[in-house]
Amino acid sequence: DVATTKPVEELCRRLEEVGTDISDLKFFVQQNFTGFRKALKKYEKSSKKFIMQWFMTQVAKAPLMATDFENMLGKFGNIAQLLRKKGAVPYSDVRHSLSGAEDEAGRQGASLESTYLLEAKAAMKFRVKLAAFMVPKDPQAVPALAAGAKAPRPKTTSVFLDTKDFKVYKDVLESSQGTSSGATMHLRRSDPNQVACVVYQAKGAKKRTEVLIRSDEVARLLQGQVPSIVLDDRAMGARPVIGSDTPADKLVATTTMQEVARTFGSTLTPMAE
């Protein structure tokens, strides 16, 4: 629409609405995350069952929680730049969708958590405003920025291992038809972290075991050798690759890696990502 002859005043108004939506959505995501955590804390206290870590891992993976606000802000800033080239002033203020939100934070008895959330919303509003005004000094000198691209961010990737004739995958298909499942293994990594997670499920087992190893040990594992060292969940860089299952302790992890070496040897290679 900015590239057409539509009135710039109307486009500026719509851009401000988008800025408000970005700010409100970020605030909504934070409120949901906090709400789940508070509810789980009360549940654990009353039931004596400790599920916080597992459940919050699932919450963090939900599409809503994974909303890419950096990408949104990048696009917002690009549109604002185009409007400025047309002589418009594409930002006046980001309005509140929650009436009296700031005042509520200052009331006596307001929790520290609610104050934090409101401050986080104010910070997001400031970032929206900054995106609208920020102009690169020399767009031609930064081609990626000029094209509206964003810097790549670390992401977690699952790498599935199989034989060249897909024996592991065929075993999984057969198990879904009622036969006993074969052994399976895949790796979870998150560049540039130096920790990988080996996710192994033994033949006929209903539960899988997750083992943390150094990334440079993966090559040894694919050669049928037992990694020289296994890690625990306190290792630097471990958090992004830990799934819903708690990583095995070092004794179980070492035993599992020995079983993996016996089961697969050097027959597996990365086949899908």
Side-chain angles (χ1 to χ4, degrees):
D1 287 347
V2 173
T4 66
T5 57
K6 290 192 175 184
V8 291
E9 293 81 7
E10 171 65 14
L11 294 171
C12 286
R13 184 188 64 78
R14 286 170 56 191
L15 187 69
E16 290 176 17
E17 290 176 352
V18 169
T20 302
D21 288 342
I22 294 174
S23 173
D24 290 346
L25 181 61
K26 175 72 170 178
F27 183 59
F28 181 70
V29 168
Q30 290 171 321
Q31 279 191 314
N32 273 270
F33 190 88
T34 302
F36 273 115
R37 191 169 58 78
K38 283 186 172 182
L40 287 167
K41 193 180 292 184
K42 290 181 179 179
Y43 174 80
E44 288 188 338
K45 188 175 181 179
S46 62
S47 68
K48 306 301 180 186
K49 295 178 181 178
F50 301 100
I51 63 169
M52 173 81 74
Q53 182 177 358
W54 175 83
F55 197 95
M56 290 308 295
T57 299
Q58 308 309 308
V59 171
K61 292 178 181 178
L64 174 66
M65 298 297 167
T67 303
D68 191 348
F69 290 99
E70 298 300 323
N71 190 26
M72 284 187 184
L73 284 177
K75 291 179 178 178
F76 181 91
N78 291 340
I79 296 170
Q81 288 179 38
L82 290 173
L83 286 172
R84 278 197 302 276
K85 289 179 181 178
K86 288 176 172 283
V89 181
Y91 189 93
S92 58
D93 188 22
V94 174
R95 298 177 297 282
H96 290 271
S97 66
L98 301 178
S99 59
E102 264 95 355
D103 293 336
E104 188 177 341
R107 290 177 190 166
Q108 190 168 358
S111 70
L112 182 62
E113 192 127 34
S114 65
T115 302
Y116 164 75
L117 284 172
L118 291 167
E119 287 177 351
K121 182 178 182 181
M124 190 64 187
K125 287 175 61 182
F126 175 75
R127 292 185 65 197
V128 169
K129 187 171 183 179
L130 188 64
F133 280 109
M134 189 167 57
V135 183
K137 292 181 179 178
D138 184 4
Q140 300 304 321
V142 191
L145 183 60
K150 59 173 184 173
R153 296 194 303 168
K155 61 181 180 179
T156 302
T157 306
S158 290
V159 180
F160 292 86
L161 307 172
D162 209 329
T163 60
K164 293 188 177 180
D165 60 352
F166 292 98
K167 181 180 182 304
V168 175
Y169 180 61
K170 290 174 183 176
D171 287 345
V172 171
L173 290 181
E174 289 178 5
S175 69
S176 67
Q177 299 171 1
T179 59
S180 177
S181 62
T184 65
M185 183 174 73
H186 72 269
L187 302 173
R188 198 181 294 125
R189 62 181 178 80
S190 179
D191 296 335
N193 292 327
Q194 299 303 306
V195 177
C197 182
V198 180
V199 184
Y200 172 71
Q201 188 163 352
K203 183 176 181 179
K206 294 184 178 180
K207 187 177 180 182
R208 59 190 189 179
T209 304
E210 299 198 3
V211 178
L212 299 174
I213 63 174
R214 292 202 313 255
S215 295
D216 56 9
E217 295 274 16
V218 171
R220 286 174 56 89
L221 187 65
L222 295 181
Q223 293 169 3
Q225 302 174 32
V226 177
S228 59
I229 187 171
V230 294
L231 307 171
D232 59 31
D233 56 5
R234 295 171 296 179
M236 184 176 295
R239 184 174 295 274
V241 298
I242 294 176
S244 57
D245 298 312
T246 303
D249 60 45
K250 290 192 175 183
L251 180 60
V252 173
T254 301
T255 304
T256 301
M257 289 297 91
Q258 292 170 347
E259 182 179 345
V260 167
R262 289 194 303 270
T263 303
F264 295 117
S266 59
T267 62
L268 299 184
T269 56
M271 298 296 281
E273 182 175 271

